[in-house]
Amino acid sequence: MANATEDFGISKEEMDKLVGEVIRYILFKTHQTSGCPIKREELTQLVTKSYHQRNLPASVINEAKEKLSSIFGYEVRELQRCQPSSKNQMRLSQQNVSDSKSYVLISQLPPDACKQFVVNVNTAHLTGFTFVIVGIVYLTGGKIPEESLWNHMKRMCLCEDEQSHPVLGNVKQALENLVLQRYLQKDKINSPEGNILYYELAERALDGPVSDRIKEYITQIVKNDNISVGAL
């Protein structure tokens, strides 16, 4: 910390205050937006509104990440925003790497402790909904037409026009929240039949820990189905 403050010409108190602001912003924004990724640009602006030293935002963010890990037990996981597959070639050269970075909080507690102290039982149904929808898209190769996704959801009694589902409330909004949380992204493609909207896996669903967990759960379900069939 001392070297950092000397490098940027600010006091330790100023550095601590900036780090504290970033930590508070990450914690409160994560809570307010139900875990939506926080853009790096948002955190950078917390620093650059008062200070203009080059590389200071990166140093503050890194210090905040270390404290969130050591004090609060959270990993601040960095995600690289991905583009829909149909737009990758067109936008790759235009995308600013730093602008496309975002962060999410992941508990570092052991599973049992996390379940007891971190996981909110009142939102467990949303976790289940996320897993099922991401699993459906994963099993279709990572991309599925909107109409097909809704057909799968209707088999679970989740209809597009349902606004007062006993668990999810507005079902269409629940699906849209997965886009806001960057588990899914939308991709509109022109075809001879007209514009077709696709849902595609986004960076949060493609991130290693989440992707591995989805694969593990699907494998377990398939094994259980095979055991059930074999017992008949």
Side-chain angles (χ1 to χ4, degrees):
M1 176 73 77
N3 290 335
T5 57
E6 292 173 5
D7 290 342
F8 299 115
I10 63 175
S11 67
K12 181 180 182 302
E13 290 72 21
E14 288 176 297
M15 187 69 169
D16 288 343
K17 182 179 179 181
L18 288 172
V19 171
E21 285 184 16
V22 169
I23 289 174
R24 285 193 296 273
Y25 188 89
I26 292 174
L27 290 174
F28 284 110
K29 185 71 180 288
T30 297
H31 176 72
Q32 291 173 348
T33 63
S34 301
C36 290
I38 300 170
K39 294 180 180 179
R40 183 183 179 90
E41 180 184 3
E42 296 177 50
L43 303 182
T44 297
Q45 288 175 353
L46 294 175
V47 179
T48 57
K49 67 182 180 182
S50 301
Y51 300 88
H52 305 289
Q53 291 91 327
R54 184 177 177 83
N55 296 327
L56 178 58
S59 182
V60 171
I61 291 171
N62 288 336
E63 182 68 23
K65 290 166 68 175
E66 291 177 10
K67 288 195 173 184
L68 279 163
S69 176
S70 62
I71 298 174
F72 295 93
Y74 281 115
E75 174 192 358
V76 182
R77 191 162 186 86
E78 184 177 282
L79 302 175
Q80 185 74 39
R81 189 178 183 91
C82 60
Q83 295 290 343
S85 56
S86 67
K87 298 178 175 62
N88 277 342
Q89 296 298 324
M90 179 177 64
R91 293 186 179 178
L92 188 60
S93 60
Q94 302 173 358
Q95 189 175 19
N96 185 306
V97 175
S98 62
D99 289 346
S100 64
K101 289 182 179 179
S102 61
Y103 301 99
V104 293
L105 289 181
I106 298 177
S107 175
Q108 295 175 313
L109 292 175
D112 291 343
C114 184
K115 183 176 181 180
Q116 183 176 356
F117 299 109
V118 178
V119 175
N120 185 348
V121 295
N122 295 320
T123 60
H125 58 282
L126 297 176
T127 302
F129 175 73
T130 301
F131 163 73
V132 170
I133 300 304
V134 171
I136 290 172
V137 180
Y138 174 81
L139 288 171
T140 58
K143 189 171 185 175
I144 186 172
E146 179 185 36
E147 183 178 357
S148 297
L149 178 57
W150 279 112
N151 286 338
H152 284 291
M153 292 174 65
K154 286 174 183 175
R155 296 173 65 183
M156 299 182 287
C157 299
L158 299 175
C159 299
E160 185 175 3
D161 57 356
E162 175 65 76
Q163 297 186 11
S164 56
H165 187 274
V167 176
L168 297 173
N170 188 317
V171 175
K172 191 171 184 178
Q173 184 59 52
L175 180 60
E176 182 63 25
N177 287 341
L178 299 188
V179 177
L180 296 175
Q181 293 167 350
R182 296 303 296 172
Y183 287 104
L184 300 176
Q185 57 187 333
K186 296 178 182 179
D187 189 15
K188 186 174 288 186
I189 297 178
N190 294 324
S191 71
E193 293 78 23
N195 292 329
I196 299 178
L197 182 65
Y198 284 82
Y199 282 92
E200 186 173 350
L201 296 180
E203 61 272 7
R204 198 152 176 196
L206 296 170
D207 189 44
V210 175
S211 179
D212 292 343
R213 208 178 317 151
I214 292 292
K215 294 175 186 177
E216 179 184 343
Y217 287 157
I218 291 175
T219 300
Q220 188 61 47
I221 291 171
V222 172
K223 285 182 179 179
N224 291 340
D225 285 346
N226 288 339
I227 292 174
S228 300
V229 171
L232 295 177

